[in-house]
Amino acid sequence: MHAEADSGAVVPGPGSPEAGGQQGLSHWMRVHPVTSMIVRRILLGVVTIVMIAIIVYAATLVIPGNAATAILGRNAQPAKVVQLEKELGLNEPVLTRFVNWAENAIQLNFGNSLGEGVAVTQREKATENSVTSLARDRLANSAILVAAAALISTLLGLLTGVYAAYRRDGFFDTVGSVVSLVASALPEFVVAIFCVLLFATSLFTWFPAISVLEPGQSILSEPEKLVLPVLALVIVVTPYMFRMTRGAMIEALDSDYVEFARMKGASTARIAFRHALPNALPPIIQVVGLNLLFLAGGIVLVEAIFNFPGIGSMLVAAINGRDVNEIQFIVILLAVFYVLLNIITDVCVLLVTPRRRYPR
Amino acid sequence: MSAANGAGARPAVEVRDLCVSMIGSGVPIVSGVSFDVAERETLGLVGESGSGKSTVAVALLGFARPGLEITGGSVRIGEVEVLDLKDEALREARGELVSYVPQDPAAGLNPAHRIGTQLREAFQVHEKLGKNELRGRIEELLKAVNLPTDKQFLRCYPHQLSGGQQQRVVIAIAFACRPRLIVLDEPTTGLDVTTQRYILETINDMAANFGASAVYVSHDLPAVAEVAARTAVMYAGRIVEVATTEQLFSQPRHPYSAGLLNAAPSAHQANRLVGIEGRPPRPGHWPQGCSYAPRCPHARADCRQAVPPLAPTESGSLVRCLHPMAVSDGGVLRLVPSPKPEVKGGEALEIERLVADYGGRQILHEVGFAVKEGECTAVVGESGSGKTTLARCLVGLHTRWDGEIRLDGESLRQGARERSREQLRRMQYIFQNPFGSLNPTMTVAENIEEPLRHFESLSRNERRAKALEVLGTVHLGEDFADVLPGRISGGERQRVAVGRALVVNPEVLVCDEITSALDVSVQALLVEQLRDLQMQRGLTMVFITHNLAVVRSIAQNVIVLQTGTIVEAGSVEGVLSAPKHPYTRQLLEDLPTLDPAEQATAGGAK
Amino acid sequence: MEASTAPTTAVAPPRAKRGGRARRILGQAVSTWRGKVGLGLTLAVVAVAFLGPLVGGSPLELMGAPFSPPGGEAGLLGGDALGRSVLARTLHGGWRILLVAAAATILAIAVGAIAGVVSAYRGGKTDSFIMRSVDVLLGIPQLVFVLMLLSVIGSKTWLVIFAVGISQAPQVARVLRAAAQNVSERDYVKAVAAWGVPPRVVIRRHVMPSLLSPLMVESALRLSFSIILVSGISFLGLGAHPPNPDWGVMINENRVGIAANPWGVLAPAILLAALAVGTNMFSDAIARSSLASGRAGDPSLELFVTSSTDPNDPQPLQEVPE
């Protein structure tokens, strides 16, 4: 969790000479460290995505029965299955099929939705049956959900974390630390259930317990359906923001440069915001990045509970319906999100760390 | 109180009965500290680790580190009582009335801001200045500490500067608002001698030019001798002696001051060093009576009754001792030269054309020398000279080298794994940092037994017996056998490390800066112990160090390493008394020294 | 002044208590309030899960109307979606989650620890290979990874254990690699290497013992996350098979009737929450106490006791589950 320098390999930290030899790129290219880091990260990201694509493709190959049986149903005539297999190219060698699939995937063509799991009504009305077009609206809804939860939890975590660090061991800090410890341990679907119990059914009935929408409708048209899913995610994610911000701020406030700033006669506000915060930013940015990643995974359960029309519930439905194409698409989408987010996080960290931005 | 000060005028700074304790338990850390500093005077505050000197330093700014609080006393600077100041007034006083130079400049400068920003801040938190005036003041400051004043320099981040430059920036910041008092908390620790010399000169000049009084806190006696007119010695949270620096270093009256001086090595004479056995009491465990009594060779029964007062002596100094040392014996055993070991004929270790690189950079360039059996050869160099790489090549920890290393005529392979067991046994290595070199999960005895497991096939009891025996050799005693390393002091740990090396009866000992993390009184014990071993067992030693004074007292031969090349080699006597290479000469000149006579020639601006 | 005249010199400090560093750390953890609460919650839920089946009635028998209110014909906590006793199903529904989560944790720790330590010690190509694999595995959100495997092969208990275990191994590997690297850089390990001791022995005798406390912290933390994952899988219907009682399944089955009888959801949810919070809190307590004991044992800090008195609130290891 701490500034995961290991995977970056760009940090010019003290390492053993024997284990070294890792600084390859910047060594022979003489480029700015930021550029070389971005290039390196993008290359690594591409490799990661390719590996994940292979895993995903390989995993879905093992599904008992293939796309043909999935389309025609279990009781289809064997002859028809063979026929369709031929049409779908399922009798080609695995490698050829993977290359074909990958080529299509790069062009965002993940084929048609197959199974009988996903929101049937939606499929019937869709002009096209392609996975990507089915996912478009849901993707927008999920993005709104994640963005709202990320924004709120980041602001909340940052402010409470800074304050708790500043009044270390005070009332707020003690209470905040315990609350965050408890909240961070709760399973997200349990949190979601409690939210429903409290605010939708038993205690208050302020918000709808489920967030079903008409197909093609945006969640923004009925924002009250967004409240509880966002709340559940915020409760799960904010504790990490709080703890990391608090920790990073405490470390910065305990540093020699803050002591020196005190000795210079700098004011309290100046010490907190000019001296401590800029140095606490890198780990904070890292945890914001990690939280967004976590949200990307966390939406699966939360969306399932609220029947929220996003890609998380789509994935669950696809898995239940063994819809290979949809599974492939969503998993790869999440992987690309992960890789992009990692790169953005690392670049941001680099930008706020002069020690790494300017070589000696 | 200001007896040592003489003059009738009211001193610029008056500290009275300063007390600092732990919050909650109330355990005193600093107790009853009183001293004066005259206008434009620099007072040295000397003590070993844990003496409370740094706590006093920050208390002068009305500050206590987390977990501590100032519980009493007074700090008057000019007309201001610092300890009475609250919030905004205290904030104003810091930097303007009294300023601070921290020990580690690299940590004191904020890594997130440019040098220019940090310099500007020194002014901005106290006064509103116009843009041009600000620029002028910064330029003036930078010139005073001899740093470049151009835009490019101001746009640098701290990590882009050298250690010496960083320290000068910090000094400039401390002097920015022309404070009445400036507190320097070990400002030269960790710097090369040349940089150290430069910083000391800068401090002297600045104090003179800006008319500030200064308190210079340090564990480094020679450095204090260079800058301070008067010096106070601290031990276990109390001042035990205050005297003019000259007096203190020639005629110490407190047994502890004398002990410190006896322990300090000199680059000009090979003296037997006398360390101080035992260790200082920890806070909360101060003994009744004189804190130093348990270690004091002159302690009598009445010393253990009550804490002696800091009383004036006939020589004008203040001493916290019931039985101050007489002026005549002085306590300084400078005239006992260290004995010379017998050197047998053969060459134990030969190094030829040694070339090594580290991370793609060549560190050692064709290094060659030989060490005779029973002899100690010192390898001297500043940081970055390649001396540690050299040591690690010798013992096979650094494997990327070319050339020839012969042990008793046998050529050694690069890595330790490729060498024979016998070759490995014969040459043992002792690490610089005693805090990292012992396995913290094993007891002292287990740590010492560890090499035996590998080199010899002994029963459990035999191993244990050997470990206990070696504990005796290093003067620790069997009581230490079942203690975890985390529970003992740095000096004790380093002795365990020596014991672990000795337990397999090596012929050659490679010591890598083994005293650099230790206080002088502890360093002296270790150096003498190694010499005894050398005399008794005919041990051959390669002693890596940056400290020329230690070289003088332990080594017979010396090689001087500069950026991976040997620039001078020869007998210690010859090289240190009549250096030929300019680099060696520079090193010697820059070395702060205790000798008042030497100081006059070395140019200590006084 | 201090009344004690304890001699301060030339006296050896206290002897080390032999044996059981793990016990010492655990003992210290239990002595803190976090440790007490954490362990108490965990043990309470474990007791319910394992003793419950002995006392609870039939979890399958239909007792009354769906979602019948508490205290009625379906028992103290009312009936569930099919009219079975919520109490009986709650008492029966925990042991499986616990066993599966524990097994998955053991797998995660074993695989992760070996990968991490080997990676740290071997360095070079082995290290890059293992760490790149870790990166790839971390590229898929844990739950998604597990669901993918389950959907492909079908929901089998061994597969849940395998999938949850493997999905957690990368985090363990990262933490232990960092810890092992840290230890390998220490001089005492280099000292042993300078005697020509084979790497195997160096790892076993000198690196492994120092990894004990990160390993303990990770174990408790992974257990906490395993419980979350396993119950999440059950909730989504890919874990336990429907007629069998299971807390995750119960939450899913009974949430439509949450207004009529909230206990069908609330009872398993509270137990799951208590379990996850308990294990997480206990891991936090272990982290704090091993950190504190690490500090107290380090004389480099002890020497500077003047500047820091109490080990000011060591930051526990924290990690976002992915």
Side-chain angles (χ1 to χ4, degrees):
Chain A
M1 193 64 203
H2 293 281
E4 299 291 16
D6 46 2
S7 61
V10 190
V11 192
S16 73
E18 280 80 15
Q22 280 254 333
Q23 295 127 326
L25 255 180
S26 56
H27 215 82
W28 54 261
M29 271 177 72
R30 290 225 165 268
V31 287
H32 196 274
V34 178
T35 325
S36 95
M37 196 221 69
I38 294 174
V39 169
R40 170 192 291 278
R41 291 310 243 149
I42 290 175
L43 287 178
L44 261 176
V46 169
V47 172
T48 306
I49 292 173
V50 168
M51 294 300 294
I52 290 172
I54 291 172
I55 293 175
V56 168
Y57 192 79
T60 45
L61 277 181
V62 201
I63 287 194
N66 54 31
T69 42
I71 291 171
L72 297 172
R74 298 260 152 93
N75 309 322
Q77 295 166 351
K80 278 199 175 168
V81 173
V82 172
Q83 168 75 18
L84 189 63
E85 273 179 356
K86 204 175 248 169
E87 275 172 34
L88 293 172
L90 291 180
N91 47 3
E92 306 265 340
V94 174
L95 194 65
T96 324
R97 274 155 60 198
F98 175 69
V99 171
N100 285 340
W101 173 81
E103 265 176 25
N104 286 327
I106 290 170
Q107 296 156 24
L108 291 182
N109 177 6
F110 284 83
N112 287 342
S113 182
L114 306 168
E116 61 270 329
V118 181
V120 182
T121 47
Q122 187 170 347
R123 179 160 327 109
E124 281 164 356
K125 290 188 182 170
T127 47
E128 283 179 83
N129 210 18
S130 81
V131 168
T132 38
S133 71
L134 281 175
R136 195 175 299 129
D137 298 335
R138 290 174 163 265
L139 192 56
N141 289 339
S142 288
I144 291 165
L145 176 62
V146 168
L151 194 69
I152 295 172
S153 63
T154 303
L155 281 177
L156 199 63
L158 210 69
L159 290 176
T160 51
V162 168
Y163 186 75
Y166 209 79
R167 299 245 177 260
R168 171 153 37 139
D169 295 333
F171 175 76
F172 182 83
D173 183 28
T174 315
V175 172
S177 296
V178 174
V179 169
S180 76
L181 185 62
V182 171
S184 69
L186 292 174
E188 56 267 56
F189 68 98
V190 171
V191 172
I193 285 289
F194 283 137
C195 287
V196 170
L197 272 170
L198 282 179
F199 302 115
T201 59
S202 304
L203 203 56
F204 305 105
T205 47
W206 295 342
F207 303 105
I210 51 169
S211 312
V212 185
L213 290 175
E214 287 292 302
Q217 193 184 1
S218 165
I219 189 73
L220 287 178
S221 61
E222 290 184 66
E224 72 276 6
K225 291 188 175 168
L226 197 57
V227 175
L228 287 186
V230 168
L231 179 65
L233 286 174
V234 166
I235 290 175
V236 176
V237 166
T238 310
Y240 294 102
M241 283 294 312
F242 169 81
R243 285 163 78 168
M244 192 42 126
T245 307
R246 177 183 175 274
M249 274 302 278
I250 282 179
E251 200 188 322
L253 285 170
D254 276 351
S255 69
D256 284 7
Y257 53 81
V258 162
E259 186 180 298
F260 187 46
R262 283 211 172 92
M263 299 305 197
K264 275 194 259 183
S267 64
T268 311
R270 197 179 179 89
I271 284 168
F273 292 103
R274 292 275 301 160
H275 287 277
L277 194 58
N279 289 290
L281 272 181
I284 293 174
I285 291 173
Q286 296 239 345
V287 84
V288 170
L290 265 173
N291 272 337
L292 281 168
L293 290 180
F294 172 73
L295 284 173
I299 54 172
V300 174
L301 277 167
V302 170
E303 288 189 1
I305 286 210
F306 291 101
N307 290 352
F308 184 92
I311 52 163
S313 54
M314 181 175 171
L315 178 68
V316 173
I319 283 168
N320 283 328
R322 302 209 165 162
D323 188 328
V324 178
N325 289 357
E326 286 188 4
I327 298 176
Q328 286 170 341
F329 171 68
I330 295 172
V331 172
I332 287 179
L333 188 76
L334 288 172
V336 170
F337 179 70
Y338 170 92
V339 167
L340 279 181
L341 201 63
N342 255 344
I343 294 173
I344 294 169
T345 308
D346 282 355
V347 170
C348 289
V349 167
L350 206 72
L351 289 181
V352 297
T353 318
R355 185 182 284 279
R356 288 173 61 191
R357 201 171 37 178
Y358 297 96
R360 273 186 78 111
Chain B
M1 257 319 186
S2 55
N5 211 8
R10 206 171 168 209
V13 179
E14 230 177 43
V15 178
R16 289 292 172 272
D17 283 325
L18 183 65
C19 293
V20 182
S21 312
M22 292 190 192
I23 294 172
S25 64
V27 168
I29 301 293
V30 163
S31 169
V33 163
S34 305
F35 56 82
D36 298 335
V37 191
E39 184 104 38
R40 290 171 188 264
E41 185 194 33
T42 300
L43 175 82
L45 192 59
V46 169
E48 294 186 281
S49 41
S51 63
K53 58 186 187 302
S54 192
T55 309
V56 170
V58 295
L60 297 180
L61 290 95
F63 183 80
R65 297 221 161 96
L68 302 183
E69 59 183 345
I70 300 172
T71 43
S74 120
V75 174
R76 184 187 58 75
I77 301 171
E79 297 308 314
V80 182
E81 174 51 56
V82 175
L83 300 187
D84 287 346
L85 298 178
K86 293 267 168 310
D87 307 334
E88 190 61 7
L90 184 61
R91 189 184 74 66
E92 277 295 330
R94 289 179 185 162
E96 205 155 27
L97 180 72
V98 48
S99 68
Y100 179 76
V101 175
Q103 176 170 8
D104 183 354
L109 292 171
N110 193 325
H113 297 302
R114 298 176 195 274
I115 295 301
T117 316
Q118 306 200 37
L119 280 165
R120 274 196 298 278
E121 184 188 36
F123 293 104
Q124 282 165 340
V125 296
H126 293 296
E127 46 193 325
K128 279 243 177 306
L129 289 176
K131 210 172 173 192
N132 285 333
E133 201 189 345
L134 191 60
R135 192 175 305 146
R137 295 279 291 271
I138 288 175
E139 210 158 285
E140 178 194 20
L141 263 183
L142 288 175
K143 272 188 192 140
V145 293
N146 217 345
L147 283 171
T149 54
D150 56 302
K151 256 213 169 98
Q152 203 172 353
F153 179 78
L154 291 174
R155 285 184 58 78
C156 280
Y157 281 97
H159 72 272
Q160 293 170 302
L161 308 184
S162 71
Q165 282 176 318
Q166 288 171 337
Q167 190 57 286
R168 275 179 282 160
V169 169
V170 169
I171 289 172
I173 289 173
F175 277 96
C177 295
R178 298 181 173 261
R180 292 286 298 266
L181 173 68
I182 171 158
V183 179
L184 302 124
D185 192 357
E186 307 227 22
T188 59
T189 308
L191 299 176
D192 286 332
V193 278
T194 307
T195 319
Q196 195 177 331
R197 147 82 43 196
Y198 194 77
I199 296 294
L200 291 178
E201 278 169 12
T202 310
I203 291 168
N204 272 333
D205 290 351
M206 294 288 279
N209 294 343
F210 285 66
S213 307
V215 172
Y216 185 97
V217 178
S218 182
H219 68 279
D220 183 358
L221 298 172
V224 169
E226 297 257 318
V227 293
R230 281 189 314 129
T231 298
V233 181
M234 278 193 80
Y235 183 78
R238 293 195 188 92
I239 286 184
V240 295
E241 181 163 1
V242 187
T244 64
T245 305
E246 205 186 323
Q247 227 175 3
L248 182 76
F249 289 152
S250 56
Q251 289 289 336
R253 304 301 303 276
H254 195 282
Y256 176 67
S257 317
L260 277 183
L261 290 168
N262 283 333
S266 158
H268 304 282
Q269 291 163 295
N271 297 317
R272 208 168 214 309
L273 307 181
V274 183
I276 306 174
E277 283 289 351
R279 45 181 172 161
R282 292 187 315 183
H285 299 277
W286 289 353
Q288 198 178 17
C290 173
S291 303
Y292 189 59
R295 301 170 79 186
C296 181
H298 311 288
R300 302 178 203 173
D302 53 348
C303 294
R304 302 177 204 274
Q305 301 298 320
V307 179
L310 188 62
T313 63
E314 67 283 0
S315 53
S317 58
L318 300 167
V319 180
R320 192 186 289 280
C321 181
L322 294 176
H323 313 287
M325 305 187 68
V327 174
S328 54
D329 64 21
V332 183
L333 311 174
R334 303 223 140 231
L335 294 177
V336 181
S338 58
K340 291 226 159 41
E342 256 176 78
V343 174
K344 290 172 227 156
E347 269 162 3
L349 192 64
E350 295 156 280
I351 292 113
E352 278 170 30
R353 302 183 319 279
L354 183 66
V355 173
D357 34 277
Y358 182 106
R361 217 154 43 87
Q362 198 175 349
I363 299 294
L364 293 174
H365 309 268
E366 307 252 325
V367 167
F369 63 95
V371 187
K372 285 207 168 69
E373 226 170 286
E375 183 185 75
C376 175
T377 292
V379 178
V380 178
E382 303 195 315
S383 53
S385 61
K387 55 189 192 301
T388 287
T389 308
L390 171 61
R392 296 197 165 196
C393 291
L394 293 182
V395 296
L397 276 176
H398 188 97
T399 51
R400 289 162 66 175
W401 54 269
D402 266 320
E404 180 89 11
I405 299 178
R406 280 192 301 275
L407 180 63
D408 283 338
E410 278 176 48
S411 179
L412 295 180
R413 306 287 301 270
Q414 264 93 341
R417 290 276 288 142
E418 305 160 87
R419 298 182 186 176
S420 77
R421 190 167 283 208
E422 186 56 18
Q423 288 170 341
L424 291 167
R425 184 193 62 78
R426 275 195 228 152
M427 179 155 58
Q428 290 292 319
Y429 181 59
I430 305 174
F431 288 80
Q432 168 174 11
N433 182 358
F435 297 108
S437 64
L438 301 179
N439 189 330
T441 63
M442 293 182 171
T443 64
V444 162
E446 284 168 334
N447 265 294
I448 295 176
E449 287 171 38
E450 208 48 34
L452 290 174
R453 285 171 177 275
H454 182 64
F455 289 111
E456 282 163 54
S457 43
L458 298 174
S459 75
R460 211 188 156 93
N461 289 339
E462 286 169 326
R463 278 204 304 267
R464 171 84 181 177
K466 280 214 170 194
L468 294 182
E469 185 194 322
V470 95
L471 273 175
T473 315
V474 295
H475 302 302
L476 281 176
E478 300 187 357
D479 284 349
F480 280 79
D482 300 317
V483 168
L484 286 175
R487 297 260 149 223
I488 61 179
S489 73
E492 287 160 352
R493 281 173 153 233
Q494 202 58 296
R495 287 197 222 179
V496 174
V498 172
R500 183 178 60 180
L502 291 177
V503 77
V504 293
N505 278 317
E507 285 148 30
V508 178
L509 220 49
V510 180
C511 307
D512 185 3
E513 295 255 29
I514 60 169
T515 63
S516 68
L518 306 177
D519 279 323
V520 275
S521 64
V522 181
Q523 166 179 287
L525 293 171
L526 196 66
V527 165
E528 285 309 314
Q529 206 163 61
L530 284 173
R531 197 203 337 276
D532 288 348
L533 288 167
Q534 191 192 359
M535 308 276 292
Q536 289 158 11
R537 302 194 176 190
L539 264 181
T540 309
M541 278 194 283
V542 177
F543 197 92
I544 315 268
T545 183
H546 68 279
N547 187 332
L548 284 168
V550 174
V551 169
R552 190 77 180 210
S553 52
I554 184 144
Q556 288 79 52
N557 289 319
V558 60
I559 65 170
V560 181
L561 214 53
Q562 185 190 18
T563 56
T565 313
I566 294 183
V567 294
E568 189 158 0
S571 73
V572 166
E573 191 63 37
V575 173
L576 296 193
S577 303
K580 295 195 180 59
H581 194 275
Y583 179 69
T584 319
R585 233 173 290 156
Q586 183 72 41
L587 282 181
L588 276 165
E589 257 170 44
D590 289 338
L591 194 69
T593 164
L594 281 176
D595 251 321
E598 282 290 334
Q599 249 176 61
T601 53
K606 239 322 99 55
Chain C
M1 218 56 286
E2 276 293 313
S4 81
T5 48
T8 51
T9 60
V11 164
R15 286 161 169 247
K17 288 192 193 88
R18 296 302 305 138
R21 229 163 58 83
R23 261 208 359 239
R24 216 171 58 231
I25 295 174
L26 279 178
Q28 224 162 359
V30 173
S31 72
T32 63
W33 73 263
R34 278 169 220 267
K36 283 195 185 82
V37 173
L39 195 63
L41 281 175
T42 310
L43 289 180
V45 179
V46 169
V48 169
F50 287 101
L51 301 178
L54 304 178
V55 296
S58 163
L60 300 177
E61 194 183 329
L62 301 180
M63 315 279 283
F67 301 120
S68 57
E73 66 266 40
L76 201 62
L77 297 179
D80 75 350
L82 298 176
R84 295 166 297 195
S85 161
V86 167
L87 181 65
R89 287 182 70 74
T90 305
L91 289 173
H92 280 90
W95 61 270
R96 188 184 156 277
I97 289 184
L98 274 174
L99 286 184
V100 169
T105 306
I106 291 168
L107 181 69
I109 294 289
V111 173
I114 292 169
V117 172
V118 167
S119 189
Y121 202 83
R122 278 295 181 81
K125 285 199 178 110
T126 319
D127 183 31
S128 337
F129 175 75
I130 293 179
M131 281 303 120
R132 288 297 84 82
S133 315
V134 162
D135 278 348
V136 169
L137 275 179
L138 287 175
I140 315 176
Q142 267 178 21
L143 183 68
V144 174
F145 175 83
V146 174
L147 291 182
M148 199 172 79
L149 281 186
L150 287 173
S151 70
V152 164
I153 303 175
S155 72
K156 309 222 164 45
T157 304
W158 67 265
L159 188 64
V160 174
I161 294 173
F162 175 80
V164 172
I166 292 301
S167 77
Q168 303 238 60
Q171 276 93 337
V172 181
R174 269 199 180 183
V175 169
L176 280 173
R177 172 175 173 270
Q181 247 176 357
N182 187 340
V183 178
S184 308
E185 286 295 306
R186 302 277 175 87
D187 283 346
Y188 67 84
V189 176
K190 290 201 179 131
V192 182
W195 301 325
V197 175
R200 258 180 315 106
V201 182
V202 177
I203 292 189
R204 204 184 57 233
R205 276 190 68 76
H206 296 275
V207 178
M208 287 306 244
S210 303
L211 298 181
L212 185 65
S213 50
L215 207 61
M216 284 166 60
V217 175
E218 271 301 298
S219 302
L221 199 64
R222 290 302 138 207
L223 182 61
S224 180
F225 288 142
S226 295
I227 291 164
I228 294 180
L229 267 174
V230 171
S231 57
I233 293 163
S234 292
F235 172 80
L236 289 175
L238 287 162
H241 294 291
N244 294 321
D246 180 293
W247 293 341
V249 174
M250 284 176 72
I251 294 178
N252 193 24
E253 284 173 345
N254 300 335
R255 66 198 170 104
V256 285
I258 209 167
N261 179 16
W263 287 105
V265 169
L266 212 47
I270 287 173
L271 285 167
L272 274 176
L275 185 59
V277 169
T279 45
N280 199 321
M281 225 175 215
F282 193 57
S283 97
D284 194 63
I286 299 176
R288 281 168 192 260
S289 64
S290 61
L291 237 167
S293 76
R295 285 201 192 185
D298 190 351
S300 61
L301 296 155
E302 215 163 68
L303 284 177
F304 300 111
V305 73
T306 43
S307 58
S308 80
T309 46
D310 56 341
N312 31 40
D313 197 20
Q315 275 303 291
L317 290 168
Q318 18 179 282
E319 190 153 359
V320 177
E322 282 157 310

